[in-house]
Amino acid sequence: QQQVKQSPQSLIVQKGGIPIINCAYENTAFDYFPWYQQFPGKGPALLIAIRPDVSEKKEGRFTISFNKSAKQFSLHIMDSQPGDSATYFCAASRGSTLGRLYFGRGTQLTVWP
Amino acid sequence: KAGVTQTPRYLIKTRGQQVTLSCSPISGHRSVSWYQQTPGQGLQFLFEYFSETQRNKGNFPGRFSGRQFSNSRSEMNVSTLELGDSALYLCASSWEGFADSPLHFGNGTRLTVT
């Protein structure tokens, strides 16, 4: 079954807007939660990652919010730009087996100029 | 530093044939993982190799196999191809495959089975 559930499937925002992508997981053994960005014809590229001992992490315009009790985490993109148009994947793994990531189904983001 | 290199970029095979895909990890990385990406199932883990040993395996049939060489380069093989094997196959490498050693993906091999 899907170990990481991601929503929405697609998202359209205006330039400057703040798209929010949500993910939920069930396995409490997960302790590493990365987000990947994928452009057409390219492999996924790591954006930002978080561990459950922090509730928020920012890197540039990208912020992860983490709610351990709800087993949910989300990606916020501040001041979104047309160049951010891509597919975003959340993922989870146990730190001891980082090579095995469980991915969400992805969110196709479109940022209109 | 060169990224993860996968060859070939595109492959067209016929049902029943077998195929071998190649992956060269980032220099110094010892862990290599393989993923299958399809519109229907998304990104699914195939297997992971570390120091020439398979460390993890996903839920794929035995037709899917892999190996890693002493220089960390890896190959995956799919035998008796089926139409449903058409997918983008992604290779990812990391220094150790655990702790704070993120996965870096290649651009994939697009396999089409006719």
Side-chain angles (χ1 to χ4, degrees):
Chain A
Q1 77 277 20
Q2 194 74 16
Q3 298 243 12
V4 178
K5 295 181 180 178
Q6 183 173 347
S7 63
Q9 191 172 357
S10 63
L11 191 52
I12 301 173
V13 300
Q14 291 279 354
K15 178 183 174 183
I18 306 175
I20 301 172
I21 304 170
N22 300 298
C23 288
Y25 65 97
E26 286 298 325
N27 190 341
T28 55
F30 289 149
D31 60 2
Y32 178 74
F33 302 88
W35 284 87
Y36 282 82
Q37 178 190 56
Q38 186 176 29
F39 293 103
K42 300 290 187 181
L46 179 67
L47 263 180
I48 185 173
I50 198 168
R51 292 194 178 274
D53 52 345
V54 299
S55 59
E56 186 176 278
K57 182 175 180 181
K58 291 183 182 180
E59 283 189 9
R61 296 184 294 108
F62 301 94
T63 299
I64 299 179
S65 297
F66 191 87
N67 186 329
K68 187 175 181 178
S69 60
K71 291 185 285 186
Q72 294 175 347
F73 58 111
S74 60
L75 176 71
H76 297 62
I77 305 175
M78 310 302 289
D79 187 28
S80 58
Q81 301 296 312
D84 296 330
S85 297
T87 302
Y88 293 81
F89 294 93
C90 62
S93 75
R94 294 192 291 274
S96 60
T97 57
L98 189 56
R100 180 173 192 163
L101 287 172
Y102 295 87
F103 282 90
R105 287 296 184 92
T107 296
Q108 189 165 349
L109 171 66
T110 302
V111 182
W112 288 102
Chain B
K1 197 184 238 185
V4 177
T5 304
Q6 292 188 245
T7 56
R9 285 300 309 274
Y10 302 94
L11 265 178
I12 300 176
K13 290 286 187 179
T14 303
R15 223 171 4 172
Q17 288 185 317
Q18 75 166 24
V19 67
T20 299
L21 312 182
S22 181
C23 172
S24 293
I26 291 172
S27 178
H29 284 191
R30 298 192 293 164
S31 167
V32 174
S33 301
W34 288 88
Y35 288 80
Q36 181 195 64
Q37 185 174 23
T38 61
Q41 299 297 318
L43 280 152
Q44 292 190 292
F45 172 79
L46 280 156
F47 28 65
E48 181 205 3
Y49 287 87
F50 182 80
S51 292
E52 301 179 65
T53 301
Q54 187 179 86
R55 191 157 69 173
N56 281 295
K57 188 177 188 306
N59 298 324
F60 278 81
R63 300 185 296 107
F64 292 81
S65 63
R67 59 177 176 169
Q68 186 180 32
F69 302 97
S70 58
N71 61 0
S72 294
R73 192 176 67 83
S74 178
E75 289 181 347
M76 70 162 279
N77 184 276
V78 188
S79 62
T80 318
L81 284 166
E82 301 177 359
L83 295 178
D85 297 333
S86 294
L88 180 67
Y89 290 89
L90 293 160
C91 169
S93 74
S94 68
W95 184 57
E96 289 284 350
F98 57 85
D100 291 310
S101 176
L103 287 186
H104 298 267
F105 283 84
N107 289 328
T109 294
R110 172 75 63 184
L111 172 64
T112 301
V113 182
T114 61

